[in-house]
Amino acid sequence: QVRLVESGGGLVQTGGSLRLSCAASGRTFSTNYMGWFRQAPGKEREFVASIAWNAITTVYADFVKGQFTISRDNAKNTVYLQMNSLKPEDTAVYYCAAGPTTRTVRESAYGYWGQGTQVTVSS
């Protein structure tokens, strides 16, 4: 059974930082993109960032460029999201996803999803 398990969410003040982790088990994603999406209350889920199997090619949503950094460790089958300078509007459930073999921001291209981790940024 394939599982993606996120951790690292929590409550942080404006301007603070968090590092999310997503550990995959059940299969390796060393030839796939892995990514992060988020869903704020009352809003649709949106793409945040993704990273290719080479751990070099990355894609970011415009609203997080320069603020968030995605990385991965294929030996650990884990993807990370370093979030800095957090703002209240970053409050959301953050989901890890995996699957695509090409660069994409489409949710439907990601066949594997974690259960989500809550990030709350207080003002």
Side-chain angles (χ1 to χ4, degrees):
Q1 182 180 3
V2 178
R3 294 186 66 201
L4 300 180
V5 179
E6 301 100 333
S7 61
L11 175 64
V12 64
Q13 291 185 334
T14 296
S17 299
L18 284 174
R19 187 192 192 208
L20 305 183
S21 300
C22 171
S25 62
R27 61 158 285 177
T28 178
F29 290 102
S30 59
T31 60
N32 304 86
Y33 277 76
M34 298 184 76
W36 291 93
F37 289 74
R38 71 183 186 185
Q39 186 168 22
K43 295 187 177 181
E44 294 186 351
R45 189 156 58 184
E46 60 183 355
F47 171 82
V48 175
S50 67
I51 186 167
W53 58 89
N54 60 13
I56 298 173
T57 304
T58 56
V59 183
Y60 292 96
D62 287 343
F63 57 80
V64 299
K65 285 182 179 178
Q67 183 187 358
F68 292 1
T69 303
I70 190 170
S71 61
R72 68 187 290 170
D73 184 337
N74 286 336
K76 296 181 179 179
N77 220 16
T78 299
V79 63
Y80 306 95
L81 186 68
Q82 177 66 44
M83 306 187 294
N84 298 326
S85 303
L86 285 163
K87 301 167 282 189
E89 50 264 45
D90 294 317
T91 294
V93 177
Y94 284 72
Y95 296 90
C96 171
T101 55
T102 58
R103 172 177 168 164
T104 179
V105 302
R106 292 186 297 111
E107 272 192 56
S108 59
Y110 289 79
Y112 302 92
W113 291 83
Q115 81 290 349
T117 185
Q118 177 70 47
V119 171
T120 303
V121 185
S122 63
S123 57

